[in-house]
Amino acid sequence: MTTAPALPRRSSATALRWKLRREAWGRTWAKFRANRAGMVGLAVLLVFAVVAVFAPLLADSHALRVSSASGPILAPPSREYPLGTDDNGRSVLTLLIFGARVPLLVGLMATVISMVIGTIVGMASGMSDGWAGTILFRFTEWFIVIPFLPLALVLATLLGGSLLSIIVVIGITGWPATALVIRAQTFSVRERPFMERARVLGAGPWHLMSKHVFPNVLPLVFANTTLTVAGSVLAETTLSFLGFGDPTAVSWGTMLNAAFGTGAVSLGAWWALLPPGICVIAVVLAFTMAGQALEDIVNPRLEEGR
């Protein structure tokens, strides 16, 4: 008795599975392209991503050093300094270009932490019956009612103002909303017929979560990720503006902090305030637009209600 035909059959099933996934991603991309707001948001994000990645090619990193600054203090925009200079005589444009790196890096890394924690807690809470699910749900509720800013400030003070600390602080304070969304979706998935068939065939909790629940909540995780990144970028800017960011790293939040600290508002030096503020608004708005476009694809009923 031979089992040789099993290998081609398994390979064929794997190939079919990947083909269906490619077709699904193709349909998702086609729907996303049809959403003008989503495409505008994606285009804006790509521009900022290119600027952040190629910052050393677009500006001189040595100009970030206060000791290397040679320009006049708080000089208005000119041909030599298109966006003026800061209180140390450094080019605001150079600071703006290199300042794009920290918000995007912190936003993405903190969002990964939030998504992992929120997805695990949400699925575990949705799949658990009895006291285990209740405890996870109550813990999520308790965490979500705590004001974000005071909790983040306390954690930032305890962990220090390094870049890694800011990522951890934002990541561990931003997961509850994701957990509630994933929990609700898990409740919907667990009542479907294929879940009952899997239970009858002897599937355990881990198999159900990894093979059945997770693939069905994954699109919602992706859609929620873009919205969470927007909040993480805004959180990093807020912490840096309040002086709890990394003092050795240039970001839009530290630029705003320095501008307010030197009295740029009273001096009328708008070029020290508006450029970083506009960049923060543009990135947050772009992530929000892209996230809403993905939400419309994942849940078409949202689009019908707008």
Side-chain angles (χ1 to χ4, degrees):
M1 186 174 182
T2 178
T3 59
L7 184 58
R9 190 177 304 168
R10 188 179 304 171
S11 301
S12 177
T14 303
L16 178 60
R17 190 182 303 115
W18 280 107
K19 179 182 178 181
L20 293 175
R21 288 177 180 176
R22 286 194 298 268
E23 291 177 353
W25 283 110
R27 291 192 298 269
T28 301
W29 172 241
K31 292 179 181 179
F32 187 88
R33 283 188 302 175
N35 190 305
R36 292 185 178 180
M39 289 300 294
V40 170
L42 180 61
V44 173
L45 292 177
L46 289 176
V47 170
F48 279 102
V50 170
V51 170
V53 172
F54 297 101
L57 300 178
L58 300 175
D60 184 10
S61 60
H62 295 289
L64 299 176
R65 302 175 183 174
V66 177
S67 58
S68 302
S70 58
I73 295 177
L74 289 177
S78 61
R79 180 175 299 180
E80 185 177 1
Y81 301 102
L83 293 180
T85 61
D86 68 347
D87 58 297
N88 293 310
R90 297 175 297 178
S91 171
V92 173
L93 179 59
T94 300
L95 294 172
L96 205 65
I97 292 174
F98 281 94
R101 291 182 152 191
V102 171
L104 294 179
L105 176 63
V106 172
L108 292 174
M109 297 302 295
T111 299
V112 171
I113 297 175
S114 297
M115 289 296 104
V116 171
I117 298 176
T119 302
I120 293 175
V121 173
M123 288 196 304
S125 177
M127 289 295 294
S128 301
D129 296 318
W131 62 269
T134 302
I135 290 177
L136 286 173
F137 177 60
R138 296 306 177 189
F139 177 71
T140 304
E141 281 190 325
W142 174 82
F143 216 96
I144 203 171
V145 298
I146 300 177
F148 162 76
L149 190 56
L151 178 60
L153 292 179
V154 170
L155 292 176
T157 303
L158 294 176
L159 297 178
S162 66
L163 203 59
L164 179 60
S165 299
I166 297 301
I167 292 174
V168 173
V169 166
I170 298 175
I172 64 178
T173 55
W175 63 268
T178 300
L180 293 180
V181 172
I182 299 303
R183 181 177 185 269
Q185 183 68 10
T186 301
F187 273 128
S188 175
V189 172
R190 65 179 291 183
E191 301 301 327
R192 296 178 185 176
F194 66 85
M195 291 288 289
E196 185 63 29
R197 289 196 297 269
R199 293 190 189 97
V200 172
L201 292 174
W206 174 252
H207 180 85
L208 292 173
M209 288 178 61
S210 60
K211 300 297 183 182
H212 298 285
V213 177
F214 182 67
N216 282 278
V217 302
L218 190 59
L220 192 61
V221 172
F222 280 134
N224 199 43
T225 296
T226 54
L227 298 174
T228 305
V229 174
S232 298
V233 170
L234 196 58
E236 186 280 329
T237 303
T238 302
L239 292 176
S240 297
F241 172 71
L242 294 176
F244 289 88
D246 188 350
T248 63
V250 177
S251 70
W252 297 330
T254 57
M255 292 176 64
L256 292 172
N257 175 269
F260 273 91
T262 55
V265 177
S266 58
L267 294 175
W270 57 266
W271 53 88
L273 295 168
L274 286 184
I278 291 174
C279 286
V280 172
I281 294 174
V283 169
V284 171
L285 184 60
F287 272 116
T288 303
M289 293 166 65
Q292 288 182 347
L294 288 176
E295 273 192 330
D296 293 339
I297 296 172
V298 174
N299 189 358
R301 288 177 295 180
L302 294 176
E303 187 178 14
E304 294 174 0
R306 288 173 181 164

